[in-house]
Amino acid sequence: MKKLIHAIKWFEDTFSALFLSVVVVITIINVLARYIFKMALPWAQEISGFFWTWTIMLGMSVGYRRNLHYGVDFLTAKLPKKYAIRLKQLVYFLMLLTCCFMLYLSIVISSQGFLKVSAYFRIPYFYKYISVAIGFSFMIVHTLRYLFLSVRAPLDFFNRIAQGGLPGLDDEETDKPKGGGI
């Protein structure tokens, strides 16, 4: 499992940075071509759109893995720790259901992506849409990992969340419980 998590993290981090770099470079080249040579590159927006979609979907999973998305913890802050932990576990379970549903929908949409092709290069939109399925697949893996960690060492897991995120959850070494049952 650790190899799978490590491979997913490497893929997310590497390709989201790479795809974002491609978008930035193509956009800069297109802007320079427009202002210096008075002509835009006809393919730049199309390719940037494909790479931008991949950047967003992989970035969504990276943000979720690092617990960087906004959340409202008003209720968990007011509850006793035992109930706050259970509420967090419920939230992760609901997140798992949501990600599974979104994965299903993205697979349905991706399968129809071969019917639509891009204007310039005639690339099937499947290659753009599949990024959504991959992003939600990765989020499912992260959610299952968080659920497992929250059950194995609930106090340790909750204390990390209470610190304003999930510090240390990005490293496999810190997945070992330090004790902390309920």
Side-chain angles (χ1 to χ4, degrees):
M1 185 65 168
K2 286 185 180 186
K3 288 183 180 183
L4 173 66
I5 298 293
H6 180 72
I8 289 173
K9 288 194 301 191
W10 178 86
F11 185 87
E12 288 172 335
D13 293 340
T14 303
F15 284 98
S16 62
L18 177 69
F19 293 158
L20 180 60
S21 299
V22 169
V23 170
V24 169
V25 167
I26 288 175
T27 303
I28 289 171
I29 290 171
N30 194 32
V31 168
L32 290 175
R34 229 181 302 141
Y35 286 104
I36 294 173
F37 302 114
K38 305 293 186 210
M39 63 177 249
L41 303 173
W43 50 267
Q45 185 175 357
E46 181 176 303
I47 296 301
S48 291
F50 272 78
F51 281 106
W52 183 246
T53 303
W54 274 92
T55 301
I56 295 301
M57 292 300 113
L58 292 176
M60 165 189 70
S61 183
V62 169
Y64 181 70
R65 181 184 84 217
R66 295 181 180 173
N67 199 32
L68 297 174
H69 294 286
Y70 286 109
V72 179
D73 63 349
F74 173 77
L75 188 56
T76 55
K78 298 291 183 191
L79 288 174
K81 195 174 274 193
K82 179 180 180 179
Y83 297 113
I85 290 169
R86 294 291 179 231
L87 179 62
K88 274 296 191 187
Q89 290 170 335
L90 176 65
V91 167
Y92 280 118
F93 179 73
L94 293 174
M95 187 65 184
L96 178 65
L97 294 178
T98 302
C99 288
C100 288
F101 181 66
M102 294 302 290
L103 175 62
Y104 166 74
L105 292 177
S106 63
I107 289 171
V108 169
I109 291 171
S110 294
S111 66
Q112 298 168 359
F114 287 108
L115 302 175
K116 182 179 177 184
V117 294
S118 64
Y120 192 82
F121 285 116
R122 312 291 299 161
I123 300 170
Y125 268 67
F126 168 82
Y127 297 108
K128 185 176 188 176
Y129 296 158
I130 197 67
S131 65
V132 181
I134 291 171
F136 280 109
S137 297
F138 290 165
M139 286 181 67
I140 289 170
V141 171
H142 299 316
T143 304
L144 288 171
R145 181 170 165 239
Y146 294 158
L147 276 170
F148 175 75
L149 291 172
S150 73
V151 169
R152 189 171 65 173
L155 286 176
D156 180 47
F157 188 80
F158 186 78
N159 288 336
R160 291 197 242 181
I161 290 172
Q163 294 172 6
L166 295 174
L169 278 182
D170 223 12
D171 303 322
E172 287 87 10
E173 294 84 38
T174 60
D175 288 352
K176 298 177 183 132
K178 299 175 186 173
I182 296 179

